[in-house]
Amino acid sequence: MAYHILLLASLGIWLSNASPATISKRAALDDCLKTASVPTLASGSADYTQSLKPFNLRVTFKPAAYAVPATVKHVQDAVACGAKNSVQVTAKSGGHSYGSHGLGGEDGHLIVDMRNFASVTVDQTAQTAVIGTGGRLGDVATALYSQGKQAISHGTCPGVGVGGLSLHGGYGLISRLKGLTLDNILSADVVLANSTLVTASPTQNADLFWALRGAGAAFGIVTNFKFRTFTAPESNIVFNYYFSPSSATALATALTALQDFTRNSQPPELNMRLFLSGFTTFSGVYYGTRADYDKLMNPLLSKMGISSGSVSTNTWLNTLTSFSNGPLKQVTPYDTHENFFAKSLMPEYLSPAAITALSNYWSANARSNSRSWYLLFDCHGGKGSAISNVSADATAYAHRNATFKMQFYDRIYNGNYDSSWFGFLNGWIKAISDASPGVNFGMYINYADTSLTKDEAHSHYWLGNYEKLTKLKAVWDPTKVFEGPQLVGS
Ligand SMILES: Cc1cc2nc3c(=O)[nH]c(=O)nc-3n(C[C@H](O)[C@H](O)[C@H](O)COP(=O)(O)OP(=O)(O)OC[C@H]3O[C@@H](n4cnc5c(N)ncnc54)[C@H](O)[C@@H]3O)c2cc1C
């Protein structure tokens, strides 16, 4: 009795708005976690408060409880406690979801923070690595490299968690050559909704393995992955050009040339992106000789109207650092945040009308926006991309044929991003969509768009794979333990 009184007294603000039923559910959950000896963070402690700060400070949630398991058994017990008390369970890795899906994407979830599952063990002979899902990319890359100069294909930001990135995509500086992060998963150990631990691979629970690679958050808590690794390339051409389109027509000309090149001529060894903003850059990495690079790039640069920039030759770790906005090694507690709204588009092809609409919107609305916005075009697909050489239904990731991975991002550095500003990016997507009748553009859940309804999210994130995913959800999580506002089956 005394324990419950103390417990209830410590629940603070979360409870002040909660109903009696919610309060008793929360107490039962805490009791269950305590009985099973699952480590948790006390509400109001410094670690708890810090852990609830997501990368996107605009989108914050209050969990029912916050577990920090140290063993797989703890993860299993946490899932069992959530299921028993009808509290949705959410795994958190790096906390970088744009919609704070690692905090549940809504109030009231049991968070299972995988921070203690961050080991990286390389088998240098087999060129494989077992990687815990709680590690951050910069630390993972460094640990892989220290064990026989191994590497995997992954994203650019060193603070992103390997868990969320790998389960929903994972595009980075070598993806056109080596595929997405999820294309290099050989197997995954998963705690299911019924709290059993299974391995998913092409030969074990193959349908679960299919779903995990693109929609993983809705199917279980992955404790570790086994990845295929490669020996890090050490002589890489890193380029960064400056680009100032003088008008909507100049931007449209550059985008048309870039799209044509990416679709038809961009080889796997060339990875690049156009970052359109107040300052605009065209940057990337080429894994080949300088002579071949010049032969490939000079005609494209000329068509795009780009003349100034820098080209250097870098080792693997320096290549990663060139794009990481800071050191690879991450500090604890992690405390880098932004305040923003973001959207994405994964177009297979932007018609001339769509490119014109995009460019006109940029000229009329973006150039005069004084907030820190950007539109990033990652040259994701096309004939020469390892991503597009996998069929769209081979994994749950549905965007194989997307030429560009486009990220629309609008942020402020002081104060809170106001919802009245959503119209800026929503309007940009609308302009492109209105110019593209009949096209259902894909969107990337790793750039979660909080303004989408459930149905919009399901349709845009998973396209033609969604129906199969709902069937698998009914098999692997029939009681919907792993739910979130935009996840499969929610
Ligand atoms: C600064 C920045 C840079 C980025 N750069 C890139 C990039 O270069 N390329 C790219 O592809 N993406 C990039 N992203 C997007 C990034 O891939 C996603 O935000 C990703 O989901 C973050 O993963 P996380 O583990 O850090 O986030 P979290 O918020 O912890 O998790 C995201 C989702 O994954 C689920 N999840 C996490 N761990 C597990 C697990 N172990 N088992 C089951 N489900 C789990 C969570 O429940 C949640 O639904 C970037 C994001 C940011 C903020």
Side-chain angles (χ1 to χ4, degrees):
M1 183 64 180
Y3 165 69
H4 282 112
I5 292 168
L6 268 176
L7 190 68
L8 290 171
S10 71
L11 298 182
I13 300 164
W14 190 82
L15 285 182
S16 62
N17 300 321
S19 67
T22 306
I23 293 170
S24 91
K25 192 197 268 194
R26 162 76 195 264
L29 175 66
D30 277 348
D31 228 0
C32 182
L33 293 168
K34 190 176 188 312
T35 305
S37 303
V38 177
T40 56
L41 300 184
S43 171
S45 65
D47 194 355
Y48 178 89
T49 305
Q50 184 63 33
S51 302
L52 259 51
K53 275 174 79 182
F55 182 80
N56 187 359
L57 293 174
R58 182 180 65 80
V59 189
T60 57
F61 300 109
K62 298 186 187 84
Y66 199 103
V68 278
T71 64
V72 171
K73 174 82 168 52
H74 289 155
V75 178
Q76 292 177 282
D77 287 343
V79 171
C81 286
K84 185 174 155 198
N85 292 290
S86 305
V87 174
Q88 258 89 46
V89 182
T90 293
K92 179 182 167 200
S93 171
H96 272 58
S97 161
Y98 287 12
S100 301
H101 290 175
L103 290 177
E106 61 194 358
D107 289 343
H109 284 221
L110 164 60
I111 308 305
V112 180
D113 184 326
M114 300 302 287
R115 67 174 75 166
N116 294 319
F117 293 73
S119 64
V120 175
T121 309
V122 173
D123 179 335
Q124 294 183 34
T125 311
Q127 290 206 290
T128 60
V130 175
I131 300 181
T133 51
R136 297 186 190 273
L137 300 183
D139 294 328
V140 169
T142 313
L144 286 169
Y145 191 79
S146 71
Q147 298 174 61
K149 300 193 172 178
Q150 293 302 288
I152 59 170
S153 166
H154 57 74
T156 50
C157 173
V160 164
V162 72
L165 177 102
S166 310
L167 290 169
H168 305 103
Y171 175 90
L173 299 170
I174 199 161
S175 297
R176 293 178 59 85
L177 187 59
K178 300 289 185 184
L180 298 167
T181 313
L182 61 73
D183 291 325
N184 294 286
I185 301 175
L186 297 171
S187 65
D189 292 333
V190 197
V191 174
L192 300 174
N194 63 11
S195 73
T196 58
L197 177 72
V198 298
T199 298
S201 74
T203 53
Q204 292 167 276
N205 303 306
D207 58 350
L208 174 64
F209 188 56
W210 180 90
L212 287 177
R213 291 171 299 155
F219 288 88
I221 298 187
V222 178
T223 57
N224 63 53
F225 299 113
K226 185 173 186 185
F227 279 106
R228 180 188 306 114
T229 67
F230 57 86
T231 302
E234 296 290 15
S235 181
N236 312 318
I237 295 177
V238 172
F239 55 94
N240 190 24
Y241 298 98
Y242 311 101
F243 177 49
S244 331
S246 55
S247 63
T249 308
L251 177 60
T253 302
L255 291 176
T256 304
L258 184 60
Q259 175 172 253
D260 180 51
F261 180 82
T262 297
R263 277 161 65 86
N264 300 306
S265 317
Q266 186 176 341
E269 295 80 12
L270 182 59
N271 289 251
M272 56 192 189
R273 63 194 195 184
L274 181 71
F275 179 87
L276 184 66
S277 183
F279 60 97
T280 295
T281 56
F282 183 49
S283 60
V285 189
Y286 180 63
Y287 302 96
T289 66
R290 176 66 196 255
D292 286 345
Y293 171 79
D294 287 341
K295 210 165 22 171
L296 263 171
M297 288 296 276
N298 287 344
L300 174 66
L301 293 171
S302 151
K303 280 187 197 159
M304 291 177 71
I306 295 176
S307 55
S308 69
S310 64
V311 181
S312 60
T313 303
N314 286 14
T315 60
W316 175 245
L317 291 184
N318 282 341
T319 301
L320 296 182
T321 310
S322 303
F323 293 87
S324 67
N325 286 327
L328 294 179
K329 183 162 173 42
Q330 298 302 291
V331 291
T332 305
Y334 184 84
D335 207 9
T336 302
H337 311 274
E338 296 203 341
N339 207 310
F340 64 97
F341 174 58
K343 302 181 77 70
S344 67
L345 278 187
M346 305 289 286
E348 288 185 24
Y349 174 69
L350 290 171
S351 67
I355 289 182
T356 300
L358 183 165
S359 305
N360 286 344
Y361 194 92
W362 163 77
S363 180
N365 301 288
R367 284 208 282 188
S368 57
N369 177 357
S370 58
R371 290 187 300 276
S372 176
W373 63 271
Y374 67 77
L375 169 50
L376 180 66
F377 298 80
D378 276 309
C379 299
H380 167 276
K383 289 179 188 156
S385 173
I387 303 167
S388 301
N389 287 334
V390 175
S391 74
D393 61 358
T395 65
Y397 180 82
H399 312 294
R400 299 290 175 178
N401 298 322
T403 300
F404 293 135
K405 178 160 77 62
M406 293 165 63
Q407 180 183 177
F408 301 73
Y409 197 101
D410 190 28
R411 66 189 149 187
I412 55 163
Y413 289 118
N414 293 306
N416 286 320
Y417 189 97
D418 195 285
S419 58
S420 66
W421 299 326
F422 287 0
F424 167 56
L425 295 186
N426 284 333
W428 212 339
I429 299 272
K430 183 172 182 320
I432 298 167
S433 301
D434 287 352
S436 313
V439 179
N440 178 29
F441 286 114
M443 298 180 182
Y444 185 34
I445 188 174
N446 266 347
Y447 297 153
D449 175 350
T450 54
S451 73
L452 297 180
T453 63
K454 266 178 204 188
D455 287 347
E456 287 168 344
H458 295 158
S459 143
H460 291 295
Y461 292 156
W462 291 288
L463 300 174
N465 288 337
Y466 190 66
E467 201 184 324
K468 178 171 172 183
L469 281 166
T470 57
K471 290 188 179 133
L472 291 175
K473 175 79 175 172
V475 172
W476 292 99
D477 182 14
T479 54
K480 300 195 171 183
V481 173
F482 305 109
E483 276 223 294
Q486 298 189 335
L487 300 191
V488 167
S490 54

